[in-house]
Amino acid sequence: MDKITLNEVVQKMLAFNGNNKASMLGIGPMSINLIKASMILAKEKDFPLMFIASRNQVDADELGGGYVCNWNQERFADAIKKVAKEINYDGLYFLCRDHGGPWQRDNERNAHLPEKEAMALGKKSYLIDLISKFNLLHIDPTKDPYTIGKVINMDVNINRTVELIEYAEKERIVRGLPAISYEVGTEETNGGLTSSENYEKFIKKLIARLDEKKLPHPAFIVGNTGTLTRLTKNVGHVDSASCKELSAIAKKYGVGLKEHNGDYLDDAVLLEHPALGVTAMNVAPEFGTVETQAYLKLTEVEKRLAAQRILKKPSKLGQVLRQEAVKSGRVEKNGWSTARTHCLRKKSSEIKNSHCLSLK
């Protein structure tokens, strides 16, 4: 039997009242350890998991692959299945494409690929997502290198979004694959959805176009709630009134409000989310940062134990992490945690020699 879809999950959430309200968490799969920890906690607390992978993080080998654990879509799906089996996790989890579509790989945007070519690559990536049994596709055609610093025309955004959903649905049906869910919109200011008026206008026009073509409505529509992640801080300002307004608009059209850049938010802000009607929130770099900090803290423990002659000598883990983070080049764009993921993959043999750490 096919698992419940995220559209169905969202509909149930929209019907919740009072103390039953909840917000789902989209987890950036920054490492095997994070996936395992997420499943252990979900098993204990009984909540569904959403693993959200961007095209830079996980993508087809022919399109450049992914920097996280060298995963393509198939290896990503297999790794999660393996962890679930290892810890006997039989709860709900969803494989989700985060920020899929044209120009979503850094090299595609930096090369200023023409729209037709970028759309074709985005579709190719989506097709492999479908074949790899992803459960949700985020349709985001707004990272247009030809509109940097400007807001993408809403109709252009909608036209591209409908074209990509239509393509995915056609390929899914031809292959006899089960129904999937979609996420649309972006937190980026050039997406043009920064006001409640534009947010509702976008939803209304998009749903009308989808209905014309008999295409499914999205499960989530991303809204800009004021979050903004920079390095190891959230430098944005979450507007509670705006969250409430955007979630009410989304609910009116039977979709859920999705928040991106939920990293490093204060607990008080997070605890507000269910009451404000935020159906889901994405977090990724913070998890990589926390894991990195834990490894570096363990290197301090090694040094202290070596000073007491309990260890013959400390490992070179800290040195390897720093060197490979710089050499990866990703530190320039995404900060230390992303580069750390790259170097863990590249120098695994050196890291495994650590006296105190297990990176299995």
Side-chain angles (χ1 to χ4, degrees):
M1 182 182 295
D2 294 332
K3 74 169 93 173
I4 185 173
T5 67
L6 277 166
N7 277 76
E8 293 170 316
V9 172
V10 169
Q11 292 310 306
K12 291 180 182 295
M13 293 179 70
L14 294 178
F16 286 167
N17 291 308
N19 294 332
N20 290 324
K21 289 186 176 182
S23 298
M24 295 185 72
L25 177 63
I27 301 167
M30 306 307 291
S31 71
I32 284 286
N33 285 340
L34 173 58
I35 290 171
K36 184 180 292 186
S38 301
M39 286 187 167
I40 291 171
L41 185 60
K43 186 176 180 180
E44 178 185 338
K45 301 295 184 181
D46 190 24
F47 62 88
L49 294 163
M50 292 192 300
F51 293 113
I52 54 159
S54 71
R55 288 190 58 204
N56 283 324
Q57 292 167 342
V58 175
D59 208 357
D61 291 332
E62 61 189 283
L63 298 176
Y67 70 74
V68 176
C69 298
N70 196 31
W71 281 330
N72 62 15
Q73 289 94 322
E74 182 181 6
R75 291 192 292 272
F76 174 53
D78 287 345
I80 293 178
K81 284 181 184 177
K82 184 177 179 181
V83 172
K85 184 177 180 181
E86 179 184 336
I87 67 169
N88 196 29
Y89 176 77
D90 59 0
L92 270 178
Y93 70 82
F94 299 94
L95 299 185
C96 306
R97 168 59 69 203
D98 185 36
H99 290 292
W103 302 295
Q104 288 293 345
R105 291 188 65 90
D106 291 343
N107 61 312
E108 293 176 8
R109 193 180 194 210
N110 293 339
H112 284 66
L113 293 184
E115 179 179 348
K116 185 176 181 180
E117 184 178 350
M119 286 285 280
L121 292 175
K123 288 176 181 178
K124 183 177 289 188
S125 179
Y126 281 137
L127 177 57
I128 300 172
D129 292 344
L130 289 169
I131 294 171
S132 302
K133 306 295 178 63
F134 275 47
N135 306 113
L136 177 135
L137 302 181
H138 180 195
I139 310 294
D140 183 7
T142 64
K143 211 164 187 178
D144 189 327
Y146 298 98
T147 59
I148 293 176
K150 298 182 290 184
V151 173
I152 291 176
N153 181 276
M154 184 179 292
D155 289 329
V156 170
N157 186 358
I158 289 173
N159 288 341
R160 289 172 180 169
T161 297
V162 172
E163 179 182 339
L164 291 167
I165 292 177
E166 186 174 28
Y167 169 81
E169 281 297 291
K170 178 182 176 182
E171 295 296 334
R172 179 187 68 79
I173 292 169
V174 164
R175 287 166 172 76
L177 297 171
I180 64 167
S181 301
Y182 295 94
E183 175 180 335
V184 302
T186 179
E187 80 282 5
E188 300 291 345
T189 54
N190 72 332
L193 304 180
T194 54
S195 70
S196 58
E197 292 80 13
N198 278 342
Y199 188 68
E200 181 163 17
K201 185 178 179 181
F202 175 81
I203 296 175
K204 194 171 182 179
K205 293 182 77 168
L206 174 65
I207 286 179
R209 287 287 307 280
L210 294 174
D211 287 345
E212 284 175 13
K213 292 180 173 288
K214 296 182 172 55
L215 294 170
H217 292 186
F220 301 110
I221 297 188
V222 181
N224 190 331
T225 61
T227 58
L228 182 61
T229 303
R230 288 288 181 268
L231 295 178
T232 59
K233 295 181 180 180
N234 202 304
V235 298
H237 174 70
V238 178
D239 188 329
S240 299
S242 178
C243 286
K244 183 179 178 182
E245 188 174 8
L246 292 176
S247 68
I249 292 169
K251 184 176 181 178
K252 184 166 74 171
Y253 293 93
V255 298
L257 167 66
K258 182 85 170 287
E259 177 184 78
H260 285 206
N261 291 327
D263 310 75
Y264 312 110
L265 290 179
D266 185 83
D267 286 352
V269 174
L270 295 176
L271 289 169
E272 277 190 331
H273 277 43
L276 295 173
V278 179
T279 56
M281 176 188 71
N282 286 357
V283 174
E286 181 178 4
F287 293 130
T289 298
V290 170
E291 187 175 350
T292 302
Q293 290 170 341
Y295 292 143
L296 294 177
K297 182 62 68 175
L298 286 174
T299 64
E300 294 178 17
V301 174
E302 286 185 327
K303 291 176 182 178
R304 292 170 67 89
L305 292 176
Q308 298 299 318
R309 298 184 179 180
I310 297 172
L311 288 180
K312 186 175 181 181
K313 62 178 180 179
S315 72
K316 296 181 179 179
L317 176 60
Q319 178 185 343
V320 170
L321 287 175
R322 291 180 175 89
Q323 288 176 346
E324 292 303 318
V326 173
K327 284 198 284 186
S328 76
R330 298 205 62 83
V331 69
E332 296 176 9
K333 176 180 184 293
N334 293 329
W336 166 240
S337 64
T338 294
R340 187 274 313 172
T341 304
H342 170 90
C343 74
L344 283 183
R345 165 168 54 86
K346 187 172 181 182
K347 288 289 186 178
S348 60
S349 60
E350 290 185 51
I351 294 170
K352 284 178 181 177
N353 291 328
S354 166
H355 298 287
C356 293
L357 307 181
S358 173
L359 302 179
K360 294 180 181 177

